[in-house]
Amino acid sequence: MKLPYWLMLAAAAIAGSRAQAPEGATAPGAQPDPAATLRYIHGAWDTLTRSATDCHSLVDIKVTTNPVLYIPAEMPIPKDALDAGQKCHVKIAALPRRIGKIADVRPEELPAEGLLYLPYPYVVPGGRFNEMYGWDSYFIVLGLEADHREALAKDMVDNFFFEIENYGGVLNANRTYYLTRSQPPFFTSMVRAVYENPASFPSTPAGREEAHAWLEQAYTLAEKDYSTWVRPEHLAGTTTLARYYDFGNGPVPEMADDSTYYPDVIRWMVAHPRETGAGYLVKGSEHPAGEDAGRLAQTSCDVRTSRVCERAWADGYRLSREFYKSDRAMRESGFDPSFRWGPFAEATVNFAPVCLNSLLYRYERDLEHLAHLLGKVEDARRWDRRATARDAAMQRYLWDAKEGVFADYDFVHARRSGYAYISSLYPLWAGVATREEARQMVAKLNLFERPGGLSMSNFNSGMQWDEPFGWAPTNWIAIDGLELTGFRDDARRIARNFDTTIDNGFAADGTIVEKYNVVARSAQVQVSTGYKVNQVGFGWTNSIYLKLKQLLGEPIGSGQNQGSDRLNI
């Protein structure tokens, strides 16, 4: 039987998502060799690069529908989109109306899931993540800058310009089922990474004019993206701080390829009634119809419109509407899943998180800085007031003087979380922590420090964003934060250990992956529920390996064979 063209593309994308090591890099089972790891990384950017003209970009193994390429409403179909439609045998469709803010168009309004058009090439994480992601892209941009791929780094930020202008803000990623949520806000950090690199624009009077115009546009769009995080739904009660929030309802469509996740959550909750909050389970039949289906649409999710909802049943129960709101918010946080905000993050929407508010503080300080560069004095004062107010609120609600840590604040129950999590180190990177707070925080590094780097938490829940797993982005934020606050010995020790873990994994498997077991110092991970496969590629791991090498003062070479190994932070 002949396979549909899109299914053949999917098979090719899955095979192509493993960034192939250049010839002679290493063979699995070899001794760890940083030079081999570097050769792999230098060759991986092209393997992980996508564009609207690349048929592999359209493939989405997370859902089961034929690919569709969506363009903004009222926009003439770009030639490269038309070419892709013909070459890749996919439908080109316009969104139903112009989008001013995230969730102005909802996924359920569209006849099929699809890719949102972006005009420039971009780097994807790898594996099942075959689109341009919000927070992944910041770390990927850092790696591209380090590897002298400045043009591709700028292309990615220019794609975010397009995304903010046409899809309402920086999205979780450029798929239609992400139209209702963002991801951790790193946009201004990406802008600065590009703008502050002299290689991003020609060193001529015309190039300087181009850079200034680009920064003006970036500033305007950053203000729009920032507005996402101060919408009423994103406010954490009366704290003036922010929370994660997805404007959609019910289970997420991108879990269509994991039919066991939501049933596994139900089974765990049924087996552990004392460990989960009340109200997250709803009695319901496996195949509801009529009035029963209508009731569940209000209390749980709508089996009549969502295949994922239909399958989200086990042991006579379904998950509540409230659980799904937090499940979606958890995915906006990027930490999906962990037990940080309760089992399977069941209470995410009840918390003002340290990570999000640290990032928004840095966003506000970045906008203050950009406003000064552009001569917008009153704007700069306004951003200074906002950052100062957020700093005060973080000190009031998130700083635990007794424990010497920043902790997430449960504004529903008016208490700080006692869950030790690596995000407590974000204030070092963001510039929130005072010198004395930083000293107390560093004294608690043993909560997370393991032989192979920093673990996400000190509790093994079986989830991928908990102990014993270490991830490149959170290791980088912690290490860079330690470096910036003067704890250089700690930063370098952890940097060396994490890069060694990546070298160990590459020597064993011949690839680089999204997460590592930092207790065992290997890429061998076992996740009990959720994303059980260690995705390969892998964009942000490649990048942070390079950045840590630079921080340690070690040469990294270059995928472009140009320039020096300068540090671009």
Side-chain angles (χ1 to χ4, degrees), residues 41-216:
I41 291 171
H42 295 323
W45 301 122
D46 292 337
T47 307
L48 294 171
T49 298
R50 303 286 184 269
S51 73
T53 60
D54 177 6
C55 297
H56 292 155
S57 303
L58 295 157
V59 173
D60 185 4
I61 63 174
K62 297 184 293 300
V63 298
T64 57
T65 54
N66 291 355
V68 177
L69 178 60
Y70 286 93
I71 61 171
E74 304 171 4
M75 176 181 174
I77 300 177
K79 184 179 184 305
D80 59 351
L82 280 172
D83 292 343
Q86 295 173 359
K87 179 174 67 174
C88 309
H89 308 288
V90 297
K91 181 180 179 181
I92 310 296
L95 293 171
R97 57 187 171 277
R98 180 165 177 77
I99 296 175
K101 61 184 182 301
I102 287 178
D104 275 356
V105 170
R106 293 176 176 269
E108 57 267 25
E109 297 179 56
L110 305 175
E113 286 119 351
L115 184 75
L116 295 168
Y117 172 82
L118 294 173
Y120 305 106
Y122 52 89
V123 176
V124 301
R128 74 195 293 270
F129 304 112
N130 191 39
E131 44 275 319
M132 189 180 81
Y133 280 80
W135 77 314
D136 292 69
S137 293
Y138 167 61
F139 304 100
I140 289 170
V141 163
L142 291 182
L144 291 170
E145 297 280 1
D147 218 4
H148 307 298
R149 303 290 295 265
E150 293 90 356
L152 185 53
K154 183 176 178 295
D155 280 342
M156 291 188 68
V157 180
D158 286 343
N159 276 330
F160 282 117
F161 285 13
F162 187 90
E163 198 167 275
I164 295 168
E165 191 166 19
N166 291 283
Y167 306 130
V170 171
L171 299 178
N172 189 143
N174 61 315
R175 298 280 180 190
T176 54
Y177 46 72
Y178 292 134
L179 282 168
T180 58
R181 68 173 180 266
S182 186
Q183 264 199 328
F186 283 99
F187 178 65
T188 53
S189 294
M190 285 188 271
V191 167
R192 292 191 63 176
V194 169
Y195 180 77
E196 293 170 5
N197 185 343
S200 296
F201 300 92
S203 56
T204 62
R208 286 189 287 275
E209 288 184 14
E210 179 189 351
H212 184 83
W214 187 87
L215 192 65
E216 285 271 13

